[in-house]
Amino acid sequence: MSKRFTSLALTAHPPAATRRGRGRSRRVLAPFTAASVLVAGAALAGCGQQRDAGTYTVMNSSTDESYHRWDAEAMTRCGKELGVTIEQQSVPAAQVMTKALRMASSKSLPDIVQFDASEMPTFADAGGLVDLRTLGLSTEDIPDGIVDFGSYKGTYYGAARSVNTLALFYNRDVLDEAGLDVPTTWDELRRTAKELTEGKRYGLALSAGGAEDGVFQFTPFMWSNGGDETDLDGPKVVEALDYWKSLLKDRSLSKSTVNWTQADVNDQFMAGNAAMMINGPWQVETLNSDKSLHWGIAPIPVPDAGDDSVGPLGGAVLTVPHTGDEGREKTAGKIVACLSSEKEQLTYALNSWMVPANAKAAAVWREKVPELDSLADQVAVARSRTAKLGAGWSSVSLALQSAFQSALTGQSSETALKRAQQRATSGN
């Protein structure tokens, strides 16, 4: 099977979306051309806000109490090390891009913005971000695939602290009771899911909703089958969507899958309404809160034995926007370097169940959480959603979201994806 992705040559492998790594939440992506105008105009106009010389602001999406606290603790440590005060401004994930655009237009951007990596290219393409290498950040211990994850057109704009991907989670007790092995191929997954579907329990739960969550979950099926985001109506992509339809036809998937987010999928799994699910490490903390739930994790099954299970590389990246104040930008770069240092990455990853982006930190992480080995292995061949299309990914994502809704409610996959390709190409 040909590989159109960058493998991560890791001693220990990392997985991601940003703290919740989700691929992910319901978010509204600003039209690319409008974003370019707003960001470029702000970058040219320079800084219009009077700032406290010793206080720096980081905008992120750490609205969950645990993540907000972990980030605050890291910022306190780095602030003490650098002799500055670092304030955290957390907004819902779906609002980070739109809020950053509004702040750019009013020349009030924070010193650091943590973007979902799939959104970062929009800001970078408009000239709104500083090349982190010019601020002294090194990528020496970061695998090439993760450097690419934080780059746009070869320039390193975003430093990842951790990365993640998707995997197959399964209820050990349910599979053991049925005398079934964990599936590794599409045929095995279909048979196993069908056999485990009983009463109110479905064999499998996944997100196929009309949001980025569903697209994030479709990519492992599309990419592992040799499909490509530049050819949405190609036969390999059609086969992947037909496979999802076959699971629905078998009644192994709930009809509600077209409305579920990844959080909904996890709720169904924990409630015993699904024997297996496709999800990511951001759910581990919640899963572990139920001591009666015995779960396991494995790579997402592939079309044929021996194929690579190619999932999406998810996560967030820390960026330094152009504010017109080079002195502050240099200090912001030092803050990013501290927050993404080997030590801080390991601390963050062990809290959040994500995998450190730094290869040395990832090696230690792997020893400390061996139960997530399968997830780490999956990350080793994961791909960035924006690697090929950059800021153009948002058009493809929106087109696929519409295709899922049509195909899983009756339309043929071929027709739905043909329309998706037309929408992605035309932008309508």
Side-chain angles (χ1 to χ4, degrees):
M1 182 173 182
S2 64
K3 298 177 176 61
R4 293 175 298 282
F5 54 88
T6 304
S7 274
L8 310 184
L10 305 177
T11 316
H13 316 285
T18 145
R19 343 139 350 276
R20 303 257 316 229
R22 345 178 175 30
R24 295 157 4 217
S25 52
R26 295 182 183 276
R27 64 181 75 234
V28 178
L29 297 179
F32 176 57
T33 52
S36 298
V37 171
L38 284 170
V39 178
L44 289 172
C47 179
Q49 177 187 2
Q50 195 65 32
R51 298 170 186 258
D52 184 332
T55 301
Y56 289 77
T57 304
V58 179
M59 185 168 75
N60 59 24
S61 58
S62 298
T63 53
D64 295 342
E65 187 280 328
S66 295
Y67 288 93
H68 191 83
R69 173 168 41 85
W70 297 331
D71 278 339
E73 291 169 353
M75 290 174 197
T76 297
R77 289 190 294 268
C78 286
K80 184 176 181 180
E81 179 180 322
L82 297 171
V84 297
T85 298
I86 307 173
E87 296 181 345
Q88 180 178 197
Q89 180 181 7
S90 298
V91 300
Q95 297 177 20
V96 172
M97 175 60 80
T98 52
K99 186 171 181 65
L101 291 173
R102 286 196 301 269
M103 295 175 83
S105 66
S106 62
K107 308 178 190 65
S108 59
L109 278 164
D111 299 285
I112 296 165
V113 178
Q114 180 171 284
F115 285 113
D116 183 273
S118 67
E119 294 181 336
M120 178 272 292
T122 299
F123 235 75
D125 192 87
L129 299 177
V130 181
D131 180 349
L132 294 183
R133 288 192 176 98
T134 67
L135 300 179
L137 272 80
S138 170
T139 57
E140 182 180 355
D141 295 320
I142 309 299
D144 289 344
I146 299 178
V147 173
D148 291 344
F149 179 67
S151 300
Y152 180 61
K153 293 185 176 179
T155 301
Y156 184 55
Y157 292 113
R161 289 185 292 168
S162 65
V163 288
N164 61 54
T165 192
L166 294 166
L168 178 72
F169 289 75
Y170 57 93
N171 187 312
R172 292 181 182 275
D173 294 336
V174 171
L175 263 72
D176 287 347
E177 184 180 341
L180 297 172
D181 294 327
V182 178
T184 60
T185 66
W186 282 8
D187 285 345
E188 291 176 1
L189 177 61
R190 187 175 180 183
R191 287 197 302 269
T192 302
K194 191 172 183 178
E195 190 163 343
L196 293 176
T197 297
E198 178 181 295
K200 69 171 186 176
R201 185 186 70 206
Y202 291 92
L204 179 67
L206 55 80
S207 169
E212 183 69 12
D213 278 28
V215 180
F216 197 65
Q217 295 226 331
F218 183 64
T219 54
F221 295 88
M222 176 173 72
W223 287 337
S224 298
N225 197 43
D228 190 88
E229 56 268 39
T230 63
D231 187 22
L232 296 182
D233 55 352
K236 296 298 184 180
V237 185
V238 172
E239 285 177 6
L241 189 49
D242 274 342
Y243 181 73
W244 269 15
K245 291 188 69 170
S246 72
L247 295 171
L248 201 58
K249 182 180 179 181
D250 291 345
R251 299 186 179 179
S252 299
L253 288 179
S254 167
K255 290 181 179 179
S256 297
T257 192
V258 295
N259 300 314
W260 283 346
T261 65
Q262 293 181 117
D264 295 330
V265 168
N266 192 60
D267 290 343
Q268 295 297 320
F269 181 75
M270 292 190 69
N273 296 331
M276 300 177 289
M277 70 169 176
I278 306 295
N279 229 313
W282 51 91
Q283 308 293 6
V284 170
E285 185 179 19
T286 305
L287 290 170
N288 284 344
S289 68
D290 183 351
K291 302 303 180 185
S292 67
L293 178 62
H294 306 129
W295 57 273
I297 189 171
I300 295 175
V302 293
D304 298 301
D307 289 346
D308 282 325
S309 184
V310 187
L313 191 62
V317 291
L318 294 166
T319 69
V320 176
H322 278 298
T323 59
D325 187 330
E326 292 186 3
R328 289 189 69 91
E329 289 170 2
K330 287 180 180 178
T331 301
K334 292 178 181 178
I335 294 171
V336 170
C338 180
L339 291 173
S340 60
S341 65
E342 181 181 340
K343 180 180 178 181
E344 288 296 341
Q345 282 195 25
L346 183 59
T347 299
Y348 182 79
L350 290 173
N351 280 333
S352 65
W353 300 94
M354 306 299 175
V355 180
N358 179 289
K360 292 180 179 178
V364 177
W365 177 91
R366 192 168 182 128
E367 292 176 359
K368 290 181 177 291
V369 284
E371 65 270 29
L372 296 184
D373 259 4
S374 292
L375 185 68
D377 289 338
Q378 182 108 35
V379 171
V381 290
R383 283 179 53 183
S384 166
R385 287 162 286 167
T386 59
K388 286 192 172 186
L389 299 176
W393 170 261
S394 61
S395 294
V396 166
S397 176
L398 290 170
L400 280 174
Q401 291 168 31
S402 179
F404 299 156
Q405 299 295 298
S406 298
L408 297 178
T409 55
Q411 193 174 67
S412 74
S413 297
E414 186 174 4
T415 299
L417 288 168
K418 190 174 295 256
R419 173 59 179 151
Q421 182 60 45
Q422 291 170 348
R423 288 189 63 183
T425 303
S426 67
N428 296 320

